[in-house]
């Protein structure tokens, strides 16, 4: 069954513990970290992840939308992240490889993320050592944007590369996921769906999670 990772970007930050409890039936908890440079928005940092870790046992799937992410791997790992995703566009290949090395040293799961402009083949230098690949289906930076159907091809291509080089790696899709778009991305090969507005915009988040599972 497809896994669901609710994005707390759409939660009420003044009631974050309550809103995390509301999605306890999900598989992962998606935390969007933005630096105001890699993306034009500022969100959550290390101290917030630390506080989240104290109030839940959920698997923390931390999406780093920050430049030169190797600078912060140890800090987010120590704060309690279970998996860290770094954007391939956020540094030179040596910096990405260094970030993955640091994840190994810190004992967290390793992922790379792709902006819509980035080709599927860009994962190849790293794929064999990854636990997850995150394909964006919106431009990173904000919740509530429209799903980019043109990304279904990239999802299919990444799926094919995963099958060939590292079948244990998960494929996560992030952006504009709703009960309408979820079946399309699952059909294209997604294992994990991130959903912010579809979960937190619903009157009953648990029912919304079940609806996304299909
Ligand atoms: C966007 C973030 C997403 C965002 C998704 O940059 O990476 O995780 O929260 O929000 P929705 O599901 O509303 O598109
Ligand atoms: Zn995200």
């Amino acid at each position: 069954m497809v896994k669901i990772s609710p994005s707390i970007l759409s939660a009420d930050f003044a009631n974050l513990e309550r809103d995390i409890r509301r999605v306890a039936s999900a598989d992962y908890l998606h935390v969007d970290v933005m630096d105001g440079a890699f993306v034009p928005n500022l969100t959550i940092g290390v101290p917030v992840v630390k506080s989240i870790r104290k109030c839940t046992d959920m698997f923390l799937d931390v999406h780093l939308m920050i430049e030169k992410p190797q600078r912060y791997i140890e800090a987010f790992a120590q704060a309690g992240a279970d998996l860290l995703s770094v954007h391939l566009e956020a540094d030179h290949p040596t910096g990405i490889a260094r970030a993955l090395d640091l994840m190994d040293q810190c004992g967290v799961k390793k992922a790379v993320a792709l902006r819509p402009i980035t080709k599927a083949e860009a994962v190849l230098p790293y794929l064999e050592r990854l636990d997850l690949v995150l394909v964006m289906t919106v431009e990173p930076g904000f919740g509530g944007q429209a799903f980019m159907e043109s990304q279904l091809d990239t999802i299919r291509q990444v799926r094919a590369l995963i099958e060939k080089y590292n079948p244990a790696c998960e494929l996560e899709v992030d952006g504009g996921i709703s009960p309408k778009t979820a079946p399309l991305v699952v059909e294209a090969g997604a294992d994990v769906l991130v959903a912010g507005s579809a979960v937190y915009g619903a009157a009953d988040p648990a029912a919304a999670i079940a609806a996304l599972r299909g």
Side-chain angles (χ1 to χ4, degrees):
M1 196 199 279
V2 70
K3 293 180 179 172
I4 308 297
S5 188
S7 166
I8 57 165
L9 186 59
S10 296
D12 176 357
F13 286 167
N15 290 285
L16 197 47
E17 183 168 9
R18 178 200 72 189
D19 277 4
I20 290 170
R21 302 224 178 287
R22 282 182 174 161
V23 299
S25 62
D27 304 276
Y28 299 167
L29 189 71
H30 189 80
V31 181
D32 286 306
V33 175
M34 305 189 190
D35 67 354
F38 182 71
V39 289
N41 196 6
L42 278 167
T43 54
I44 291 164
V46 172
V48 178
V49 172
K50 205 169 167 186
S51 294
I52 292 171
R53 179 75 293 162
K54 285 186 200 145
C55 81
T56 182
D57 290 332
M58 287 180 81
F59 182 94
L60 297 184
D61 154 26
V62 178
H63 180 189
L64 300 177
M65 285 162 275
I66 61 180
E67 285 182 356
K68 304 211 181 299
Q70 58 166 303
R71 297 173 295 154
Y72 292 102
I73 300 301
E74 284 160 300
F76 280 106
Q78 279 162 17
D82 292 295
L83 174 140
L84 294 170
S85 306
V86 291
H87 266 273
L88 291 180
E89 311 82 9
D91 205 347
H92 300 294
T94 50
I96 300 298
R98 174 76 183 136
L100 296 173
D101 290 345
L102 287 165
M103 290 180 213
D104 274 335
Q105 283 168 29
C106 296
V108 294
K109 293 202 169 179
K110 304 183 290 294
V112 298
L114 283 72
R115 294 186 100 117
I117 191 150
T118 303
K119 301 245 180 304
E121 296 74 42
V123 303
L124 278 174
Y126 315 100
L127 184 52
E128 284 180 18
R129 60 189 299 208
L130 297 177
D131 297 292
L132 181 145
V133 174
L134 192 174
V135 174
M136 293 301 301
T137 40
V138 298
E139 261 320 316
F142 299 92
Q145 303 181 78
F147 177 78
M148 295 170 68
E149 212 157 320
S150 56
Q151 281 299 87
L152 289 171
D153 277 344
T154 306
I155 297 167
R156 283 190 202 99
Q157 289 158 12
V158 172
R159 178 85 255 161
L161 294 173
I162 285 175
E163 292 307 316
K164 192 166 174 194
Y165 295 104
N166 182 3
C169 180
E170 291 191 308
L171 172 45
E172 179 175 65
V173 175
D174 183 6
I177 299 298
S178 68
K180 208 172 136 198
T181 58
L184 304 176
V185 301
V186 170
E187 192 276 329
D191 301 302
V192 186
L193 308 181
V194 176
S197 38
V199 169
Y200 283 111
D204 181 349
I209 289 164
L212 290 170
R213 286 202 173 108

